Amino acid sequence: MSEGQKEFKIATGDRAILPEGTRLVPIYIMGKRYMVPETLTIQKATEYAGYQFIRACGCRGGICGACGTVYRILGDYHLHFGLACQTVVQENMYLTQVPFFPANRAVYNIEETSATAESIMKLYPEVMKCVACNTCTKACPMDIEVMEYVNAAMRGDLAKVARLSFDCIQCGLCSSRCPAQIQHFHLAQMCRRLYARYKVPQAEHLQNRVGEINEHKYDTLLLDLVGSDHDTLRKLYVDREMEPQDSVGWEPQDKTKL
Ligand code: SF4
Ligand code: SF4
Ligand code: FES
């Protein structure tokens, strides 16, 4: 530790196994300075500094979108964005978390909503105010082409919105930055729903299976499973036949449950 660092209190409380020789670096959490190991993610460093997450933390694996974080590095005017569970700390990082961004979500009945640009304009009219600044894309921790899918939504190209937004984890960071006040993640979710409901060809075998379920074909089988003990369930699971990746023409040997 350098002379300069001695004047700061070193945070305690361990949530990580630290590699030998790990340096401590200063970060600022809500304006307060802490010395934390340089190898930690923002999430672990925050816990190392003594904070306990009650909100703003979910999966810890970059999936749930609960840990959106905004930060600046001392001397750099850029505002940066990331997921606290995925972003490693940097020296002189000033950070705060945005665990939830309030965004209006349109209320609609999908059975009465057409998969068209008109529906999008009616339910999310602010989409037309996009000024093409691309800030939403820069804010996205999932590297999604957010502005591209907003443009596709304006044209009613639901297939493109669905494809581009598929990895969205609904962290809300895009909406927190948009000068047009667009609710990107809710808009994209509605487009994916409409696309799946009206545009994607329905799989015949899936429809057949849903029909069988509705006709109670599997009720007895399910009740048997519900009444089975742990060992029986475990054996059934371990011995199950698995469909191979290249499953064209494949059928299970045991056809009694088809
Ligand atoms: S941040 Fe808003 S205005 Fe800017 S490109 Fe994205 S959607 Fe458009
Ligand atoms: S599109 Fe928006 S809400 Fe979705 S992951 Fe990217 S920044 Fe988060
Ligand atoms: S805690 Fe779920 S994405 Fe970070």
Side-chain angles (χ1 to χ4, degrees):
M1 184 185 297
S2 73
E3 248 342 270
Q5 288 173 331
K6 274 186 189 164
E7 63 190 84
F8 303 107
K9 189 179 168 202
I10 294 178
T12 55
D14 182 29
R15 295 281 302 186
I17 299 167
L18 304 176
E20 200 175 332
T22 300
R23 228 166 37 105
L24 294 173
V25 294
I27 64 168
Y28 297 80
I29 303 172
M30 291 185 285
K32 190 168 177 194
R33 180 171 176 141
Y34 296 91
M35 299 300 293
V36 299
E38 63 183 346
T39 53
L40 298 185
T41 60
I42 291 171
Q43 196 166 69
K44 284 185 177 166
T46 305
E47 289 170 329
Y48 185 95
Y51 290 86
Q52 184 183 15
F53 286 104
I54 297 171
R55 305 287 307 260
C57 178
C59 66
R60 292 175 174 270
I63 300 296
C64 75
C67 65
T69 300
V70 179
Y71 61 92
R72 272 202 166 101
I73 307 296
L74 188 66
D76 176 5
Y77 70 89
H78 291 101
L79 201 54
H80 299 276
F81 302 85
L83 297 174
C85 69
Q86 301 297 300
T87 310
V88 175
V89 292
Q90 294 178 55
E91 195 163 344
N92 289 322
M93 181 183 248
Y94 283 73
L95 58 92
T96 191
Q97 291 208 245
V98 188
F100 169 75
F101 184 78
N104 288 339
R105 183 165 53 181
V107 177
Y108 56 93
N109 179 345
I110 198 159
E111 302 298 334
E112 295 166 3
T113 309
S114 60
T116 59
E118 286 69 35
S119 296
I120 294 167
M121 297 311 147
K122 185 172 161 211
L123 293 163
Y124 288 100
E126 65 275 13
V127 78
M128 294 307 288
K129 294 183 183 161
C130 173
V131 294
C133 65
N134 210 23
T135 312
C136 48
T137 304
K138 289 180 190 153
C140 180
M142 299 301 284
D143 291 334
I144 292 171
E145 294 291 340
V146 187
M147 188 180 78
E148 282 294 311
Y149 82 57
V150 168
N151 289 341
M154 285 185 211
R155 299 191 304 273
D157 186 347
L158 298 185
K160 189 165 183 182
V161 181
R163 180 169 54 77
L164 289 180
S165 70
F166 190 77
D167 288 334
C168 174
I169 55 173
Q170 310 232 333
C171 66
L173 288 174
C174 49
S175 298
S176 74
R177 296 288 283 152
C178 177
Q181 313 290 333
I182 292 169
Q183 339 281 311
H184 314 69
F185 52 113
H186 290 326
L187 163 75
Q189 187 183 56
M190 184 184 81
C191 290
R192 290 196 299 276
R193 284 179 173 156
L194 290 172
Y195 178 65
R197 176 73 180 78
Y198 294 112
K199 299 284 188 184
V200 177
Q202 300 293 308
E204 191 184 334
H205 69 285
L206 183 61
Q207 285 180 314
N208 292 343
R209 184 56 54 91
V210 170
E212 289 170 353
I213 292 168
N214 287 335
E215 286 160 14
H216 306 288
K217 179 174 175 181
Y218 301 103
D219 285 7
T220 313
L221 178 68
L222 287 170
L223 285 173
D224 280 354
L225 285 174
V226 170
S228 299
D229 60 29
H230 179 267
D231 289 343
T232 308
L233 287 174
R234 188 186 177 84
K235 184 166 180 356
L236 281 170
Y237 181 76
V238 171
D239 293 346
R240 75 193 187 284
E241 286 184 71
M242 280 192 278
E243 187 171 347
Q245 276 209 326
D246 178 14
S247 62
V248 179
W250 178 85
E251 283 193 343
Q253 288 177 4
D254 177 5
K255 298 190 181 55
T256 57
K257 299 180 182 64
L258 287 181

